Amino acid sequence: MPFAYAFSKSATAMRPSPIRELFKLIQRPGMISFAGGLPDPAIFPVEEFAHCAEALSEHGHVALQYGATEGYRPLVDELARRMEKPLGRVPSPEELLIASGSQQIMDMISRVLIDPGDVIVVEAPTYPGALHTFRNAGARFALVPCDSQGMQVETLEEVIATCRRATGKAPKLIYTIINFSNPSGACLATDRRRRLAEIAGQHAIPVLEDDPYGALRYRGEALPTLFSMADGGVLFASSFSKILAPGTRVAWAVGDAELIRKMVVAKQGMDLCTSMVAQVLIAEYCRRGYLEDHLPRICAHYAAKARAMSAALREELDAGAARWSDPEGGFFFWLELPGRDTREVFRRAVDEGVAFLPGPAFYPEPDETVGATVDGSSMARLCFTFAGGEEIAEGSRRLARALA
Ligand SMILES: Cc1ncc(COP(=O)(O)O)c(C=O)c1O
């Protein structure tokens, strides 16, 4: 007789990640994957990282011990210095927290702000990993549609009003990916950033500004952060996952000291502290100036791949049947196939030997949405960073065959 577990309400309500489930389908030999949002392992700085292990002979007794929940102080100081430019000032140590991936930052903020039934404003489309974490906390979602300039901020006040009418309360959080969004690749236009900061401030709704891709700009000028435009209330989050390596599982958040303190207490109950070994190695990596050298290298590497995908899509896809915008940075092309259901195209594509992620993965389900839903069934995300240059061309040919 199998053991009968009495799962909690929240575990019963959990839904498996659609992306992780799809990965099982696409692990076939010869499959070209535009599906996962993975960095290219060929560009991981393996040698430099191995050199950084020398730091263990000096700092090994610290690296192998438990550390402060707030983070390893030399890395906190390094990050505070690095944040001066995007955030407009050097945050104090009380305003900065190192986490086990940005995913944990979402988990911490959910634990300190969200009660079951609370509403979080998200972009449509948005990052499914965020939806997953917020859903685990019992959140419901109010959607703001996006275009090539990011969130359509002019509809935000109406979305907040709808939420108030439906629930009697304002949303508890606004979640936004301002640079090279996952999945749309769009950057929020500067005037929209200003307006978003204003509206959030007026309604006293905190904002999670999730920015793992901001440093990966291949063209154009960097845009100001929401954090730098707001007078408090914005939690800025970024990560080493995309600029260095996701296996390190190190990210950081900067926000109001009171919020950071609550998040620290939540993290104490999650994992006590972020891996000290990883933090010591990353602090050494930054101290040696390796990150400064690495960033232009990966930007050039990924820019070439973005150009290769742009050229391959232009070559292979019928412009009347498919639309996409060339991203200025990040990891993703967001493809629209008017009149097609990309879940059905996905099945044909897998038969042809190429995988991508169908649009519906990036939108909350109607039964967890407050107010209007957005239909993403004709959309698809193509990640250009993981596949090799040749694979990008061949994968695009296979995609065209799947669409034919
Ligand atoms: C927008 C966004 N936020 C957060 C994450 C998770 O990052 P981390 O590896 O730091 O947990 C990802 C990963 O793909 C992402 O795309």
Side-chain angles (χ1 to χ4, degrees), residues 242-264:
K242 306 292 160 52
I243 58 171
L244 174 57
T248 58
R249 306 309 300 133
V250 176
W252 65 97
V254 181
D256 298 326
E258 187 189 2
L259 177 67
I260 294 287
R261 178 69 202 142
K262 280 278 186 217
M263 288 168 59
V264 167

Side-chain angles (χ1 to χ4, degrees), residues 37 100-104 106 127 130 175 177 181-182 210-213 238-242 246 249-251 332 381:
S100 305
S102 313
Q103 203 63 38
Q104 188 183 48
M106 295 173 210
Y127 168 54
Y175 171 72
I177 308 158
S181 165
N182 181 359
D210 186 15
D211 190 22
Y213 302 104
S238 192
S239 170
F240 285 103
S241 287
K242 306 292 160 52
R249 306 309 300 133
V250 176
F332 308 110
R381 188 191 78 178

